[in-house]
Amino acid sequence: MQLDLLTPRVERLSHDGAIDVVHPGGVLGRALRRPVLLLARDLCTFAFFQTAALPRSRRRQAALLHARVAAPYVRSGSALSKAGDDFGVWWWDADRVEALLAAHAIAARPLISPETLAQPRSEGWRIVRLKLGYEAQLWRGKALIASAWRRERYDPAAWSAFVRLQRAAEPAPESPSAPADLPIAFDNRDAFALASVELTREQFALLGGGGVAFASLGLGAFLVGQGYQLSKDTAQVEAKTAEIRAATPRAAAVRNLDASQKKLIAYRQIEEQTNPLSAAGAAIGILAFHDLTPTSVNAETETLSFTLPYAAIEQVAVLVEELENSGYFHDVQPRTDGTAQTLTLEMKVREAAPPLTPEP
């Protein structure tokens, strides 16, 4: 269900540079999410890329590579839409789009997406009436297989030419259907999925609160790693305390630091860095955005791992990228177990940046 308060600001860019407001955005959507810029269909090019013959772990990588090397423009922007085991690839002329946007004062860099990806999904053949022109489409399994745009309404000859280009397609109507005027589908994940890279750490902490309940299930495992880290940090604090005693004229006062004070110092040091317990909520939030629920969690001193169903391998490239871009993790490594039919994501927890020292 689409929550309107989380909807980002949505605008549409036309070929003449005009920008129309499609949705002003919800209260939280405007504050937490990047705006979405829908490109008019005549500014975009579509192609269907088949990857079903490739291993599942390589399909998205192959589609991304195809989007780079087969781009029809000198500088291209691109986007992927999932189509079963295959992908729809969208391109647009980045130089032209940037030139059209240059005349507008845009506060935040928007997420760019073709306007077709914001339409309701369908099945079979249809013709869509756009603000400018008409788009002929073929859908299979609620995924877009073919798309073509023309300025004039589709006549029988133009419709027949579009149908002939589609191989192994179901029978099409002999004459073009009446064009449909479609609303914006804000539940379409291809255009409006909430990406983790849109959020700062503070925002992620607010929105990822729902993952705390799940994180508590692994609390016992986390405490083992935290206990080890605390002992290690306490030893370091004791060594540093000895150095301070030797270097300060107030040696007598420093000598009176008891064990409980040292423990408090160690706890504070741990709180100032990212650890598996504090980072777990962020990782769970990223997985939740992709409708994934871990079957098990393992936390050690500096690492965190999640076990996922094997089907999640289709999204592994995106998961790795978003986990590393979140700022919490680095060296994210996916590992598969064909016998157990599981996918394990192992990652190292990145230490938080040291706090800024206030100027005197």
Side-chain angles (χ1 to χ4, degrees), residues 3 47 57 59 87 94 110 115 121 145 155 165 220 247 267 322 328:
L3 297 178
S57 60
R59 290 174 184 173
F87 290 87
E115 65 175 328
R121 299 177 184 273
I145 303 300
D155 54 22
L165 293 176
Y267 273 119
E322 294 189 0
Y328 283 91

Side-chain angles (χ1 to χ4, degrees), residues 12 49 75 112 118 128 139 158 165 167 174 183 196 216 222 225 232 267 292 300 316 319 353:
R12 180 190 290 109
F49 182 65
R75 285 186 61 241
I112 298 178
V128 180
W139 294 76
L165 293 176
R167 299 179 180 178
E174 293 185 2
S196 62
S216 63
F222 293 154
K232 179 180 177 181
Y267 273 119
L292 296 174
E300 298 180 2
V316 68
L319 292 174

Side-chain angles (χ1 to χ4, degrees), residues 44-261:
C44 306
T45 301
F46 176 83
F48 184 64
F49 182 65
Q50 295 181 320
T51 62
L54 299 175
R56 288 183 178 274
S57 60
R58 294 291 182 263
R59 290 174 184 173
R60 178 172 287 273
Q61 294 176 354
L64 291 171
L65 179 61
H66 176 75
R68 289 197 296 268
V69 301
Y73 307 106
V74 176
R75 285 186 61 241
S76 291
S78 64
L80 298 181
S81 58
K82 196 75 170 66
D85 292 331
D86 304 311
F87 290 87
V89 184
W90 293 89
W91 293 286
W92 56 87
D93 188 337
D95 289 331
R96 182 182 181 187
V97 170
E98 290 175 5
L100 293 175
L101 292 177
H104 301 273
I106 299 179
R109 185 169 60 90
L111 294 171
I112 298 178
S113 177
E115 65 175 328
T116 302
L117 295 185
Q119 297 173 358
R121 299 177 184 273
S122 183
E123 198 67 43
W125 307 85
R126 76 178 180 188
I127 297 177
V128 180
R129 189 199 318 271
L130 305 172
K131 182 179 179 181
L132 175 65
Y134 300 84
E135 182 181 12
Q137 301 173 348
L138 172 61
W139 294 76
R140 183 181 301 133
K142 299 297 183 179
L144 186 64
I145 303 300
S147 169
W149 176 88
R150 72 192 310 260
R151 184 180 295 269
E152 295 79 18
R153 186 165 179 166
Y154 274 85
D155 54 22
W159 175 252
S160 177
F162 172 70
V163 170
R164 282 199 308 269
L165 293 176
Q166 316 314 323
R167 299 179 180 178
E170 54 268 30
E174 293 185 2
S175 58
S177 59
D181 296 299
L182 301 178
I184 296 296
F186 291 101
D187 60 347
N188 195 327
R189 292 176 57 85
D190 287 332
F192 301 108
L194 179 62
S196 62
V197 294
E198 297 180 44
L199 307 178
T200 64
R201 284 194 175 190
E202 292 76 12
Q203 295 166 351
F204 224 130
L206 293 174
L207 295 181
V212 174
F214 179 83
S216 63
L217 297 177
L219 184 58
F222 293 154
L223 291 177
V224 174
Q226 288 300 301
Y228 173 81
Q229 183 66 34
L230 178 59
S231 299
K232 179 180 177 181
D233 289 346
T234 301
Q236 293 177 352
V237 170
E238 291 175 346
K240 291 180 179 179
T241 301
E243 295 176 3
I244 293 174
R245 284 204 303 264
T248 179
R250 300 180 61 193
V254 176
R255 195 176 299 114
N256 291 330
L257 287 174
D258 56 20
S260 61
Q261 290 175 308

